[in-house]
Amino acid sequence: MTNPSRPAAICLMGPTAAGKTALAMALAARGDVEIISVDSGMVYRGMDIGTAKPTPDELALAPHRLIDIRDPAQAYSAAEFRSDALAAMHEVVAAGRTPLLTGGTMLYFKVLRDGLALLPEADPAVRAQLDADAARDGLASLHRRLQAVDPVAAARITPGDSQRLQRALEVWLVTGKPLSQWHAEQPAPEPLPFDLRWFAVSPPDRAVLHERIARRFDLMLAQGFLDEVIALKARGDLHLGLPSMRAVGYRQAWLHLDGETDLPTCRDQCVAATRQLAKRQLTWLRSFPDLTWLDPSDISAPAQIIRHLPSGT
């Protein structure tokens, strides 16, 4: 439901490689829309090719907020995103434009909509142990552990979703209380001061999305993705346990550069991991209420979004 008493904001979601950036750029070309990135990889400086960050030319045409705001050695939490996004949205509205939040980090969209759960802070020692357990026994073993202590959370988290899986186990190990119980005990969030309009862009045919993913990663390789990871490795202060280096593609490229895989295997692993990410994103989107789906090949897609905005926006 829309609420005319609050300023409108567009939320443009979708799986990776679906065409969100192109659609957002088309909307921003109107001049009355300003883009706010909702991407946990694009927040990091120096991670440009592998995150499909907009090019300098694209950013010159349509600046994106919340891009290049962290060093890869630093963490960036969902709580920080929500605070930064709301501040950016207020600034955009004050300038007489409509906020357009776009990206593929579904957790960020959820936190923006629902607020933050009051969860315990991260425990570096526990996380390091879980990383070691995952490296030794595999993520499927961690998922079985989660099923034993929190079957509700385990039903929502796939064995391949390493970050959510390890966070759920971390909460249990630190507090002795299941993550699902923490969520169930949360107070209702305060209403947002914005009227969010929700859209998702994705090709109707999953095979088309898979082809786009493969084609985009091959383009990343041609653009110098491995050189980007070489530069990150050469810093000496980054490692695979950092949230930044867990981004899809970076871990696989790092291991390739360590000699664990050849280039064709690395390429196939990156494409497969990206397809798995897209599958998780689509699963989340299909459970999302009040969502308007758009086909990236439909030239009327920008107009479909514009029609959902208040007159005069």
Side-chain angles (χ1 to χ4, degrees):
M1 297 294 291
T2 61
N3 187 334
S5 67
R6 292 175 289 165
I10 304 165
C11 291
L12 178 60
M13 306 181 287
T16 185
K20 297 182 294 296
T21 296
L23 182 51
M25 293 288 293
L27 289 166
R30 289 165 42 95
D32 55 358
V33 171
E34 188 167 345
I35 299 173
I36 300 170
S37 173
V38 187
D39 190 291
S40 61
M42 291 187 190
V43 300
Y44 294 111
R45 294 183 289 271
M47 295 175 60
D48 303 330
I49 298 172
T51 63
K53 195 176 292 180
T55 66
D57 288 344
E58 288 174 324
L59 292 174
L61 290 172
H64 288 48
R65 293 172 182 252
L66 305 191
I67 281 181
D68 293 334
I69 60 174
R70 282 291 188 279
D71 183 86
Q74 300 172 309
Y76 186 70
S77 69
E80 290 175 298
F81 165 78
R82 191 174 197 271
S83 175
D84 290 345
L86 287 173
M89 293 166 75
H90 283 294
E91 291 174 3
V92 170
V93 169
R97 295 186 289 272
T98 299
L100 167 56
L101 296 101
T102 185
T105 302
M106 302 307 167
L107 173 62
Y108 285 3
F109 280 115
K110 183 179 187 302
V111 164
L112 178 66
R113 180 193 64 181
D114 297 338
L116 289 159
L118 301 175
L119 298 175
E121 294 184 2
D123 187 310
V126 172
R127 288 200 168 184
Q129 183 58 56
L130 288 170
D131 282 337
D133 292 347
R136 183 185 66 249
D137 303 324
L139 291 174
S141 174
L142 293 191
H143 194 263
R144 288 191 293 272
R145 287 170 59 184
L146 183 62
Q147 285 177 321
V149 299
D150 190 352
V152 174
R156 293 198 306 262
I157 301 172
T158 64
D161 194 342
S162 61
Q163 292 192 44
R164 293 180 66 211
L165 175 57
Q166 293 184 32
R167 177 56 174 159
L169 279 171
E170 177 191 33
V171 169
W172 163 255
L173 291 169
V174 170
T175 69
K177 182 192 294 187
L179 178 64
S180 59
Q181 185 177 343
W182 278 94
H183 285 303
E185 295 173 353
Q186 297 303 313
E190 294 185 5
L192 274 178
F194 297 93
D195 185 14
L196 303 181
R197 315 292 175 86
W198 297 95
F199 301 87
V201 58
S202 184
D205 187 345
R206 182 75 64 89
V208 173
L209 180 62
H210 285 181
E211 181 183 351
R212 290 173 69 114
I213 288 170
R215 188 167 61 246
R216 187 178 73 172
F217 187 74
D218 288 336
L219 177 60
M220 288 177 177
L221 287 175
Q223 292 172 331
F225 173 53
L226 290 180
D227 289 334
E228 180 171 276
V229 182
I230 288 171
L232 293 167
K233 281 174 64 69
R235 287 179 36 154
D237 62 339
L238 304 179
H239 56 83
L240 292 181
L242 290 168
S244 60
M245 294 299 101
R246 292 182 181 180
V248 168
Y250 286 88
R251 174 183 290 274
Q252 292 82 1
W254 189 293
L255 294 175
H256 162 65
L257 294 170
D258 280 344
E260 295 194 18
T261 60
D262 58 20
L263 183 55
T265 300
C266 172
R267 183 264 182 194
D268 291 345
Q269 289 178 343
C270 289
V271 170
T274 308
R275 287 175 175 173
Q276 284 297 315
L277 171 61
K279 181 180 179 181
R280 294 195 298 272
Q281 291 167 320
L282 285 167
T283 298
W284 190 90
L285 286 166
R286 290 192 183 99
S287 69
F288 198 91
D290 302 321
L291 188 60
T292 300
W293 286 86
L294 304 169
D295 184 342
S297 65
D298 186 349
I299 60 173
S300 72
Q304 292 182 55
I305 294 177
I306 293 166
R307 283 200 300 270
H308 281 77
L309 297 178
S311 59
T313 300

